[in-house]
């Protein structure tokens, strides 16, 4: 337990967390008798949980190890790291060699306890030791059962000197009975608190000695921090990480006029007025804009998908897959066949059906708004060969437009052409298949489940949206709307 | 095997590969020929001389080596800019905020080309950094990804130590195989990086390349970045992420969570090899550069058919550079493998060759033309000497060779001139396309050409100066020269001087136009390549796949042996052979061979052919019983009962026989993928549609 004056010092260092520090002081102490075996610390992300706990433990002077669980790939790695940290931080582990094979350590919890026990026994390690399991709920493998196991560490083993602190940001897991375990809730910071914290320490500097040494530079920072919080608090809430990141991102360009000597440190308002556009940029919030390394210019807004440089056939495959996904198979004859009778029949039917139902069905919704359906590969290939035959440039726009070579036997040629066209198909060679797989690996097509790509059962689905397919259609002069089922 | 091509992975699989065990491979054929090392065979029914075979092979090698080095220099230079940038990026130390430095590499939509760029970068970097290559195939989950990273880092160690565990490849995700390292860490624990860095890596950057992030699950990417970030604080780790999308910002927005975005500092890099394909074609076939050493030798020209196939394939089906290169290589291979006359590129025609030369189509046409033009007895004499005297043919061949060189020079000059004119007018046709039109004689008298010539009169000073800049025209090459081009260049220099004197431009433009018109009145460029005598020897066409090949009208239907080998028409072949097995069984060749007469009349198609015929007429879903009945009806009992062995087959036995045939063939069709069993009911479903 910390004495009052040291507690006050700590509270001065870690501001806005007085109550929580008091609570920590209750449950975590350097006297084994009043040390709670496990403590759960709980609160929203980035509100200083780890920071406060670490600060407190340091002030307390008790031996402690912090394990960042969110960086552990599996539970095994987590347990191994716990053991390693304890060994390292205890200060006595340097000449300890484990008799338990380290590799099997952490295979399950008992093996971890086993190793820990033999370690404490051999080294006679009896100092109080606190393990902080930071972000315990964010380990890459689910850790619920470890929760309970860690809680019972003292019950199930001879180890008495080790206590656990969990830091989590979600609710308490069901596996542990909360009543017996002390539970400290960290409240979110309020807006004034956030301002106070940010203003208390200058995080960014001008990197020009003459300006940084000026006390006014700290004043400038305070004003800057206030502006940032005022502008962005509604978006960031009490997430300090996000706020600090925004501060750091905007700072260099915001303070450019001062570094250039255009304004003095006192002229905050002037600087703000000149740079206010920087603070209202959308990229600050989504922080996903990146610069080109060569030119250091920000990327321009473009359509996301990479379809422009696809070969022509791939473009047609995408269009065909879109049509196959968004048209119902029962309407295929209507959409893709040249037979007139079917077209008329279908229209008559659909009107009748509409009157009958009287309410909205799936057919009445614009297909662009629906999610794509799965289709059989063969159906897509059939659609592909139809639309390619009738619409592709290479089969329908002849060179004759460009070249004045009049053929003697024009009419005969036209007949042959018609015949050739009616037999033309893209699936003649394996190019088509390899293109489909390429489109799949580009993420433009997707397939059902985790099935073998060559299996008969595999069903496909297009993975592009309307705007993409529209640009594709424009690129290839394809009358897309004519083929879509909606009237 | 490279890091990209893990044989256990099949996400990109388009076909199954059966690899026979080594001992079952056929023993090497011991041919009677002395030239064992030469993969070429003696042609002309095996009577070709060994020296000539060797000559053909060495010709192929020299020509292809020359091309290969050209291709390599293009490829090597295509991305140096990018690689230098990346190198600089790796060297740059991060700012104070110590974020994870990520290079986002914007790549094309062709995955093969992307992989090549990455491989080249690996080569470029060499041993300077420790490079770890990861592809989406192993990024199924974070554990396998990390295992791969550790494995590749540890490769160093393995290289130095003894390595005799060959079958270390089974990377199953079972927990059993989590073999422990000597320092007893699990094999996906990145803590290993620290040890490695302290031991071997001091001062060396660790570059992790994620080849195709677009197809990696975004959860895995986020976890990966988190883990890598936690190490990058202490170690010099750089991440290079290859992406095929237009807007990297929005990709990040859609795939990275806020946490990952906060810890990274991304830069965008652009790959600049988009025009490499056309560049290679131009450099190989249309280059006018005078190379002193090779100047006298003969260059092969691609035929219109081949040009069109390569061009349409690249444009519309597969724009991969590697596939383009192998197409070209195969064409050369076929040319020298197949054509005994190909030695004539360098050799003088011997008596043996003369006979073959006389059989060429172009020679026949040449003689026929002469026949039409007979006026004097001398003409008649000339023809008869061509047909009888070997010397006359040898002389004619030399002429034709020279003529062909001239033709090539003229055509290339024309293509370059037109390309420039076209570029000024904002045209889109590539040089290779123009070349295709020129050699098939479609260019002269065409609308395009007319428009281009017309456009000269409306040009301004800048563009006319560009037209007059005739650096890319070559007048003289080896022992041949293009006189028309020389005249044109002379005229152009004259006009240039006039412009410098700032005379009125209008009249000059007309003069330029007249020059060009005059230039186009060249007899040589008004011929198609197939009108040249002996063009068969001087062009590569990739050979035809069928013995009787009729040119289709649509260029997309063009077909030759080369493309058939590289992109086999699997489906068509399957359907055609099921329909008619003659091409494979009981071919004409076989019939010529002595077959005992008694067997000849009982030749029956394989049963599967019979079933396929029924299958073709069947509806999409087929009732099994109906299918069987139809199949049975289609068989003629009298023909087949001989096969069954006994003379008389009772009705009962016949049923059994047909039924077993039916079952067997149905399964065969299922294996091929033509039939599917419906989960419920006694129905089969057609898996392939007709004419698709």
């Amino acid at each position: 337990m910390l004495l009052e004056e040291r507690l006050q010092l700590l509270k001065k260092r870690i501001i806005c967390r007085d109550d929580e520090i008091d609570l920590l002081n209750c449950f975590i102490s350097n006297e084994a008798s009043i040390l709670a075996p496990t403590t759960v610390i709980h609160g929203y992300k980035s509100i200083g949980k780890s920071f406060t706990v670490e600060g407190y433990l340091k002030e307390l002077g008790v031996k402690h190890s912090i394990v960042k669980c969110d960086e552990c790939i599996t539970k095994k790695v987590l347990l191994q790291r716990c053991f390693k940290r304890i060994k390292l931080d205890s200060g006595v582990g340097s000449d300890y060699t484990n008799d338990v094979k380290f590799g099997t350590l952490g295979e399950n919890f008992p093996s971890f306890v086993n190793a820990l026990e033999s370690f404490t026994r051999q080294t006679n390690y009896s100092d109080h030791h606190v393990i902080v399991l930071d972000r315990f709920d964010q380990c890459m493998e689910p850790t619920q059962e470890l929760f309970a196991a860690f809680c019972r560490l003292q019950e199930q083993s001879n180890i008495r000197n080790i206590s656990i602190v969990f830091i989590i940001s979600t609710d308490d897991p069901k596996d542990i009975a909360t009543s017996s375990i002390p539970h400290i809730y960290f409240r979110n910071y309020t807006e004034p608190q956030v301002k106070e914290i940010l203003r208390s320490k200058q995080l960014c500097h001008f990197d020009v000695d003459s300006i940084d040494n000026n006390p006014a530079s700290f004043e400038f920072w305070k004003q800057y921090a206030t502006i940032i919080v005022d502008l962005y608090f509604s978006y960031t809430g009490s997430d300090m990480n996000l706020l600090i990141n925004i501060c750091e991102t905007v700072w260099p360009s915001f303070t450019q006029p001062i570094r250039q000597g255009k304004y003095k440190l006192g002229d905050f308002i002037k600087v703000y007025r000149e740079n206010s556009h920087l603070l209202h940029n959308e990229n600050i919030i989504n922080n996903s804009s990146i610069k080109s390394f060569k030119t250091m210019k920000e990327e321009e807004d473009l359509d996301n998908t990479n379809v422009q440089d696809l070969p022509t056939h791939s473009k047609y495959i995408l269009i065909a897959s879109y049509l196959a996904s968004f048209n119902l198979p029962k309407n295929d004859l209507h959409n893709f066949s040249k037979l007139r009778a079917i077209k008329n029949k279908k229209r008559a039917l659909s009107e009748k059906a509409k009157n009958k139902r009287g309410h909205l069905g799936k057919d009445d919704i614009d297909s662009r708004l629906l999610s794509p359906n799965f289709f059989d590969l063969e159906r897509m290939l059939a659609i592909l060969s139809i639309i390619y035959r009738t619409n592709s440039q290479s089969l329908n726009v002849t060179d004759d437009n460009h070249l004045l070579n009049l053929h003697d036997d024009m009419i005969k040629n036209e007949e042959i052409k018609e015949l050739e066209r009616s037999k033309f198909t893209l699936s003649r060679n394996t190019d088509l298949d390899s293109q489909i797989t390429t489109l799949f690996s580009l993420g433009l097509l997707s397939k059902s489940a985790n099935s073998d790509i060559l299996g008969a059962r595999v069903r496909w689905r297009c993975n592009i949206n309307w705007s993409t397919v529209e640009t594709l259609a424009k690129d290839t002069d394809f009358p897309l709307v004519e083929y879509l089922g909606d009237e | 095997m490279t890091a990209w091509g893990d044989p256990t992975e099949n996400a990109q699989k388009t076909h199954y590969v059966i690899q026979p065990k080594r001992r079952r491979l056929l023993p090497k054929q011991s041919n009677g020929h002395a030239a064992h090392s030469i993969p070429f065979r003696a042609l002309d029914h095996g009577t070709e001389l060994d020296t000539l075979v060797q000559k053909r092979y060495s010709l192929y090698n020299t020509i292809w080596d020359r091309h290969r080095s050209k291709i390599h220099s293009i490829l090597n230079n295509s991305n140096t800019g990018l690689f230098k940038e990346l190198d600089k990026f790796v060297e740059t130390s991060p700012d104070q905020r110590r974020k994870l430095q990520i290079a986002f590499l914007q790549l094309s939509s062709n995955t093969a080309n992307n992989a090549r760029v990455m491989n080249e970068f690996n080569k470029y970097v060499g041993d300077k950094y420790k490079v770890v290559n990861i592809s989406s195939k192993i990024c199924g989950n974070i554990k396998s990804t990390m295992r791969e990273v550790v494995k590749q880092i540890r490769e160093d160690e393995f290289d130095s130590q003894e390595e005799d565990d060959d079958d270390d490849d089974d990377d199953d995700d079972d927990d059993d195989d989590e073999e422990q390292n000597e320092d007893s860490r699990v094999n996906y624990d990145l803590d290993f990086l620290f040890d490695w860095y302290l031991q071997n890596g001091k001062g060396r950057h660790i570059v992790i390349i994620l080849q195709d992030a677009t197809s990696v699950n975004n959860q895995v990417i986020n976890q990966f970045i988190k883990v890598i970030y936690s190490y990058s604080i202490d170690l010099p780790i750089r991440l290079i992420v290859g992406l095929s999308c237009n807007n990297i910002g929005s990709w990040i927005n859609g795939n990275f969570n806020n946490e990952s975005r906060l810890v990274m500092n991304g830069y965008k890099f652009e790959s600049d090899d988009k025009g490499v394909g056309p560049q290679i074609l131009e450099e190989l076939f249309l280059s006018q550069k005078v190379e002193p050493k090779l100047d006298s030798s003969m260059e092969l020209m691609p035929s219109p058919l081949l040009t069109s196939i390569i061009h349409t394939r690249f444009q519309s089906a597969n724009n991969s550079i590697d596939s383009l290169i192998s197409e070209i290589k195969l064409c050369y291979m076929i040319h020298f493998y197949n054509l005994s006359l190909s030695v004539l590129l360098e050799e003088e025609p011997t008596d043996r060759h003369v006979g073959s030369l006389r059989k060429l189509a172009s020679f026949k046409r040449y003689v026929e033309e002469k026949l039409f033009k007979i006026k004097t007895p001398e003409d008649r004499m000339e023809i008869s000497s061509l047909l009888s005297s070997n010397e006359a043919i040898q002389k004619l061949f030399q002429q034709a060779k020279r003529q062909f060189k001239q033709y090539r020079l003229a055509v290339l000059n024309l293509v370059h001139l037109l390309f420039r004119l076209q570029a000024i007018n904002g045209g889109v046709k590539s040089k290779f396309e123009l070349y295709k039109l020129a050699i098939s004689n479609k260019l002269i008298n065409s609308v395009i050409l007319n428009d281009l010539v017309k456009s000269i009169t409306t040009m301004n000073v800048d563009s006319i100066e560009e037209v007059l800049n005739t650096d890319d025209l070559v007048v003289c090459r080896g022992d041949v020269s293009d006189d028309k081009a020389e005249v044109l260049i002379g005229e152009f220099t004259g006009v240039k001087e006039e412009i410098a004197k700032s005379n009125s431009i209008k009249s000059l433009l007309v003069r330029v136009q007249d020059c060009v018109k005059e230039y186009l009145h060249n007899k040589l460029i008004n011929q198609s390549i197939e009108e040249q005598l002996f063009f068969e020897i001087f062009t590569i066409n990739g050979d035809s796949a069928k013995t009787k090949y009729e040119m289709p009208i649509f260029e997309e239907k063009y077909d030759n042996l080369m493309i058939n080998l590289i992109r086999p028409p699997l489906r068509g072949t399957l359907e055609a052979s099921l329909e008619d097995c003659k091409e494979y069984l009981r071919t004409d060749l076989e019939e010529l061979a002595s077959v005992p007469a008694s067997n000849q009349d009982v030749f029956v198609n394989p049963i599967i052919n019979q079933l396929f015929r029924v299958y073709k007429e069947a509806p999409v879903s087929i009732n099994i019983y109906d299918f069987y009945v139809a199949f049975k009806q289609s068989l003629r009992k009298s023909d087949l009962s001989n096969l069954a062995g006994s003379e008389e087959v009772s009705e009962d036995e016949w049923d059994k026989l047909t039924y077993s045939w039916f079952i067997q063939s149905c399964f065969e069709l299922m294996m091929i993928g033509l039939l599917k069993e419906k989960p419920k009911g006694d129905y089969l479903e057609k898996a392939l549609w007709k004419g698709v």
Side-chain angles (χ1 to χ4, degrees), chain A residues 74 81 102 245 286 291 293 299 313 378 388 394-395 402 404 420 427-429 431 435 441 452-453, chain B residues 12-13 16 99 184 188 215 231 247-249 261 268 313 316 447 553 556 567 569 571 689 692:
Chain A
T74 55
R81 285 197 185 162
F102 188 75
N245 185 61
N286 73 20
K291 286 172 180 170
F293 190 76
E299 202 179 23
H313 290 178
E378 198 65 14
Y388 196 78
S394 59
L395 294 190
H402 302 294
L404 254 184
E420 273 185 24
S427 54
R428 220 163 45 87
N429 63 33
D431 254 345
Q435 282 178 77
S441 61
D452 182 357
I453 206 162
Chain B
Q12 277 271 341
K13 186 158 63 179
Y16 297 106
K99 292 191 169 191
S184 44
Y188 49 83
S215 25
Y231 289 95
N247 190 350
I248 289 173
R261 278 185 249 156
K268 172 180 162 180
R313 192 77 24 178
S316 61
V447 177
I553 290 177
E556 278 207 58
R567 300 276 158 201
R571 189 168 171 156
W689 294 5
V692 166

Side-chain angles (χ1 to χ4, degrees), chain A residues 437 440 447 451-455 458 460, chain B residues 10-14 16:
Chain A
T437 49
F440 170 65
K447 65 182 170 66
S451 47
D452 182 357
I453 206 162
L454 289 179
V458 62
W460 297 81
Chain B
N10 47 21
Q12 277 271 341
K13 186 158 63 179
T14 55
Y16 297 106

Side-chain angles (χ1 to χ4, degrees), chain A residues 47-254:
Chain A
I47 50 166
K49 298 187 297 291
S50 315
F51 181 66
T52 313
V53 171
E54 205 181 334
Y56 173 76
L57 287 173
K58 267 189 193 147
E59 191 65 41
L60 192 64
V62 71
K63 280 186 178 162
H64 62 274
S65 320
I66 298 171
V67 178
K68 287 182 177 165
C69 301
D70 60 331
E71 286 162 10
C72 298
I73 299 166
T74 55
K75 285 183 284 192
K76 191 170 172 183
V77 172
L78 197 159
L79 291 175
Q80 286 189 355
R81 285 197 185 162
C82 279
F83 183 73
K84 246 184 280 173
R85 299 296 317 177
I86 293 172
K87 215 172 96 179
L88 214 68
D89 293 328
S90 65
V92 293
S94 53
D95 41 77
Y96 166 74
T97 49
N98 12 342
D99 48 353
V100 181
K101 203 181 162 214
F102 188 75
T104 53
L105 191 160
E107 197 67 74
N108 46 30
F109 196 75
S111 74
F112 167 71
V113 174
N114 207 356
L116 209 56
E117 267 183 339
S118 83
F119 169 71
T120 46
R121 201 173 46 240
Q122 280 188 27
T123 53
N124 284 326
Y125 181 58
S126 57
D127 294 357
H128 305 305
H129 198 116
V130 180
I131 308 175
V132 181
L133 297 171
D134 197 0
R135 300 190 195 178
F136 187 66
D137 52 339
Q138 285 175 39
C139 175
M140 292 178 194
E141 254 182 7
T143 49
Q144 277 98 336
E145 72 254 40
L146 275 188
F147 238 124
F150 268 117
C151 288
R152 289 191 208 105
L153 179 68
Q154 290 211 2
E155 293 169 31
Q156 291 176 344
S157 69
N158 300 324
I159 304 162
R160 292 284 172 270
N161 58 332
I162 290 178
S163 69
I164 319 277
V165 176
F166 297 106
I167 301 180
I168 54 174
S169 55
T170 47
D171 266 345
D172 283 339
K174 293 188 185 80
D175 305 68
I176 52 172
T178 44
S179 55
S180 65
I181 296 169
H183 182 107
I184 304 172
Y185 176 62
F186 275 56
R187 275 187 320 275
N188 286 0
Y189 293 124
T190 58
E191 192 173 341
Q193 279 176 332
V194 170
K195 264 187 213 165
E196 196 187 332
I197 294 166
L198 263 189
R199 287 161 61 103
S200 64
K201 195 183 165 212
Q202 186 171 0
L203 294 171
C204 305
H205 298 274
F206 292 91
D207 294 328
V208 180
D209 286 343
S210 58
I211 306 179
D212 277 329
N213 294 335
N214 193 334
S217 116
F218 191 41
E219 276 309 308
F220 187 88
W221 163 258
K222 277 183 181 169
Q223 279 167 307
Y224 174 72
T226 317
I227 286 276
I228 294 282
V229 176
D230 280 342
L231 280 172
Y232 292 109
F233 186 77
S234 56
Y235 165 68
T236 60
S238 58
D239 191 336
M240 291 305 295
N241 250 349
L242 213 52
L243 270 169
I244 291 171
N245 185 61
I246 291 174
C247 286
E248 286 174 339
T249 324
V250 182
W251 179 262
S253 36
F254 187 81

Side-chain angles (χ1 to χ4, degrees), chain B residues 161-322:
Chain B
Q161 290 165 12
E162 91 302 2
E163 42 171 333
D164 47 1
D165 41 351
D166 279 344
D167 43 4
D168 201 27
D169 288 8
D170 46 339
D171 258 274
D172 300 348
D173 267 324
D174 307 340
D175 280 14
D176 317 338
D177 75 327
E178 287 173 10
E179 36 134 339
Q180 308 298 328
N181 305 339
E182 302 88 65
D183 52 352
S184 44
R185 264 197 205 100
V186 277
N187 60 6
Y188 49 83
D189 190 353
L190 264 197
D191 276 354
F192 176 76
L193 273 182
F194 283 116
D195 300 354
W196 177 85
Y197 190 70
L198 289 176
Q199 276 175 19
N200 327 358
K202 271 277 154 87
R204 235 164 127 202
H205 289 273
I206 301 167
V207 181
I208 301 179
I209 302 179
L210 182 55
Q211 188 203 7
D212 42 355
T214 351
S215 25
V216 180
N217 182 345
N218 53 15
Q219 191 200 357
V220 177
I221 289 196
N222 282 314
Q223 290 177 334
F224 184 68
I225 285 186
K226 190 181 222 170
V227 175
I228 295 292
Y229 168 66
S230 69
Y231 289 95
S232 77
I233 296 167
D234 301 314
L235 298 174
I237 299 182
R238 305 282 183 273
L239 192 61
I240 297 179
V241 177
L243 281 174
S244 15
C245 65
N246 275 349
N247 190 350
I248 289 173
S250 69
W251 182 84
I252 294 174
N253 209 3
N255 288 281
F256 279 14
N257 58 25
N258 210 354
E259 225 171 305
S260 306
R261 278 185 249 156
L262 286 182
V263 299
M264 68 153 205
N265 195 6
Y267 295 101
K268 172 180 162 180
F269 293 80
E270 272 173 87
S271 153
D272 38 24
D273 71 339
K274 283 184 180 143
V276 170
Q279 202 190 334
I280 286 177
L281 289 175
E282 275 168 29
E283 191 68 25
L284 290 193
F285 298 121
L286 311 178
S287 165
Q288 286 281 57
K289 261 184 237 153
V290 183
E291 291 160 72
K293 241 196 276 173
L294 313 162
D295 215 28
S296 55
S297 74
M298 197 68 197
E299 302 254 8
L300 292 170
M301 287 171 86
S303 73
L305 177 77
L306 179 68
T307 322
S308 151
I309 286 178
I310 289 182
H311 187 258
T312 47
R313 192 77 24 178
F314 192 77
Q315 206 76 10
S316 61
N318 186 337
N319 50 12
S320 148
I321 302 295
D322 295 304

Side-chain angles (χ1 to χ4, degrees), chain B residues 439-478:
Chain B
I439 56 169
S440 44
N441 196 17
K442 278 186 183 165
L443 207 50
I444 305 297
N445 297 331
S446 70
V447 177
I448 291 187
L449 193 62
N450 249 342
D451 288 350
L452 285 181
V453 174
K454 260 187 215 160
S455 74
I456 292 177
T457 49
T458 56
M459 278 177 183
N460 56 21
V461 182
D462 289 341
S463 26
I464 199 70
E465 270 177 358
E466 218 167 299
V467 173
L468 295 179
N469 185 14
T470 50
D471 291 346
D472 52 356
L473 300 189
V474 174
V475 175
C476 193
R477 196 182 171 88

